[in-house]
Amino acid sequence: MIKNKGLIASYIVLGIFSFLSVFPLYYMFCGATNPSIDIIRGKLIPGTYLLENLKTLLDNQNLLLALWNSVKNSVIVTVLTLLVCSLAGYGFEIFHDKYKDRLMSVLLIAMMLPFVATIVPLFKMFSKMHLINSTAALILPTISTPFMIMLFRQSARSFPHDIIEASRLEGLGEIRIFFTMFIPVMRSTYGAAATVTFMNAWNSYLWPKIIFQSNDSITMPMLVANLKGGYFVDYGMLMLGVLICTLPTAIIFLALQKSFANGITGAVK
């Protein structure tokens, strides 16, 4: 009887937290399908105003360009980050010595430094290099992060070193071992890193806003911020813009959630 009561209480608590987690998404969907006046009144059921909100959004903002820029930037950042950080993490662990440990300690200390503290020197540096308003200026500060290097280094500790020794005896070079042995075995870690990196790159607002000085470089977070300007806010259009901005990251997370869980817990497949 006590066990049943405990189980019921657990389901009640989980149900409450599930509702609190899902409700903002449901409210956002309802807002995207209703006119602004109904959202202000607190209407909580889906409406039939989706196409009108989409037409208004397309008329006021370059939605397709923002989507393309966000997809392009996020994919490039994700691919390069996975390559650079996994190579670094692999090197730190497989070719281990005390000097690399000291360097890793410096990188971990750098994790405590907020990104906003580096914006001014980064902007000055890229300005002198004439890279303002370029994709390179967006990518270079983000493709190597201490957290991702640490994640791949920790995962490399569970990588069977016997595979490396056997591969070396077979005459394989270190680069080939990395690409043909390490990457397939550590795919869960790559899935977790890809999820985190893509979401961070997609949701990035401050640095792209600073480095991009042309309307042709607008991204989805910048577009959503533009929807809140002026004296009147069309909440239906705003909710639709936020919904469209949210969908890619939700799809990526749902598609890679198993790899994300395994990668974070250090599982090796």
Side-chain angles (χ1 to χ4, degrees), residues 128-266:
K128 291 180 180 179
M129 297 170 64
H130 304 289
L131 292 176
I132 299 299
N133 203 38
S134 68
T135 305
L138 172 70
I139 294 172
L140 290 176
T142 58
I143 59 174
S144 179
T145 62
F147 173 76
M148 285 298 162
I149 295 175
M150 181 186 67
L151 175 65
F152 280 106
R153 187 195 183 193
Q154 292 299 115
S155 298
R157 290 183 175 179
S158 61
F159 182 72
H161 285 224
D162 293 341
I163 295 179
I164 299 176
E165 297 298 331
S167 300
R168 288 170 178 169
L169 292 175
E170 293 293 329
L172 297 181
E174 298 298 333
I175 297 298
R176 190 173 178 185
I177 292 173
F178 175 80
F179 282 101
T180 61
M181 301 294 178
F182 182 78
I183 290 180
V185 172
M186 308 304 297
R187 60 182 180 272
S188 294
T189 303
Y190 278 90
T195 303
V196 174
T197 303
F198 183 88
M199 294 176 68
N200 288 338
W202 182 274
N203 294 322
S204 179
Y205 171 76
L206 183 58
W207 182 241
K209 184 69 174 178
I210 293 173
I211 208 68
F212 289 141
Q213 300 178 353
S214 170
N215 291 331
D216 293 335
S217 302
I218 188 172
T219 61
M220 283 304 299
M222 294 162 65
L223 181 143
V224 172
N226 291 340
L227 298 178
K228 297 186 295 182
Y231 296 100
F232 171 75
V233 178
D234 188 334
Y235 290 103
M237 181 178 64
L238 176 61
M239 288 291 188
L240 180 59
V242 174
L243 179 63
I244 295 174
C245 187
T246 304
L247 284 178
T249 54
I251 293 172
I252 291 296
F253 181 79
L254 292 175
L256 299 176
Q257 59 178 329
K258 185 176 181 180
S259 296
F260 177 80
N262 291 334
I264 293 297
T265 56

Side-chain angles (χ1 to χ4, degrees), residues 27-53:
Y27 182 75
M28 182 170 56
F29 174 75
C30 291
T33 60
N34 283 297
S36 184
I37 187 64
D38 287 341
I39 299 172
I40 295 174
R41 291 172 178 172
K43 185 178 179 180
L44 294 178
I45 59 175
T48 58
Y49 213 74
L50 177 63
L51 295 179
E52 287 78 0
N53 286 333

